[in-house]
Amino acid sequence: MDLVPIDDIRAAAADIAATVLRTPLLRTRWDDELWLKPENLQPVGSFKLRGATHAVARLDPARRERGVVTHSSGNHGQALAYAARAAGIPCTVVVPEGAPEVKVAQIRALGATVLLVPPARRLVEAQRVAAETGAELVPPFDDPRIIAGQGTIGLEILDDLPGVEVVLVPVGGGGLSSGVATAVKALRPATAVIGVEPLLAADARDSLAAGRLVPWDVADTYRTCADGLRTGLSELTLAHLRERLDGIVTVTEEEIRAAVGRLARDARLVVEPSGAVAAAARLFRPDELPAGRTVAVLTGGNVDPALLADLVAA
């Protein structure tokens, strides 16, 4: 299986420069060796804008006017809707029932058509729309264009902190971790790239241990509050992670929730549970991580206001 090369990530950086925010690295006051990469500051509140913008930029001109379609629990849907609106093309987002309403409302506000379906039918429905309308199916992670776009985060980290020794990155479907690991290992092989996922959705841990995809039942992954990390790996992302990821750790629900509160109170950053898992690993699992200058990627900030209020007060 062909893996995404570093040159594709460099090309993606040029494609997205006019649309995507180049997020800074922020020092933390509680850890002298921890920097935060706040992708929650993107216009749509998550890193997903990088891959979506790159995918739209690479559309075949002959199909462009037919638009795009995807399936997403929220953040990728918002990102593709934003990128499609910027390009002046239609967008449909298939959303699994139970996704946070704050995310669904934002997708609609960006002009996309939203279809709510049972979680197990999200991909099938997106494929149906693509077949019937001719729209381009842009998956949330299982696509080289998406992986290359997300990998631009790795380029920025190395530009801003050339001596980084550890990069912590959340793992859901694996597009982000595949892209970041590709960029970092190509340009600074000595840097450890560690994936982080919820203990209640640890399919990546199991898949990497087994050397093959080990899917988790939807009923199991939906127990985690980190709704953006409930999706399993694909063959493409597993191939990237087997080759380029240095390890993976898991964090508990209590640790994720505590990290959301800590980031809000002490870093003044609104981060959703999925976006806080990398910080949770550094806060609560330091003995399982390599030592040294560390960057934790905060992937998104589209959190339900009531949940945020609960977690900040805890």
Side-chain angles (χ1 to χ4, degrees), residues 8 11-12 15-16 20 48-61 64 67-70 76 79-80 83-84 87 89 136-150:
D8 284 8
D15 284 344
I16 71 175
V20 174
K48 294 282 191 177
L49 187 58
R50 295 173 181 269
T53 300
H54 183 233
V56 168
R58 296 282 160 164
L59 282 176
D60 182 338
R64 191 180 184 86
V68 289
V69 58
T70 194
H76 175 65
L80 191 62
I89 61 176
E136 177 86 3
L137 179 59
V138 181
F141 55 88
D142 190 25
D143 189 301
R145 299 167 299 182
I146 297 295
I147 291 172
Q150 319 305 29

Side-chain angles (χ1 to χ4, degrees), residues 52-53 56 67-68 78-92 110 112:
T53 300
V56 168
V68 289
Q78 288 184 64
L80 191 62
Y82 187 100
R85 186 178 70 172
I89 61 176
C91 177
T92 299
L110 288 165

Side-chain angles (χ1 to χ4, degrees), residues 15 19 28 49 90-91 111 117 123 129 137 140 158 173 216 242 254 267:
D15 284 344
T19 302
T28 62
L49 187 58
C91 177
V117 301
L123 174 58
V129 172
L137 179 59
L158 293 173
W216 278 38
R242 288 184 66 186
E254 294 75 20

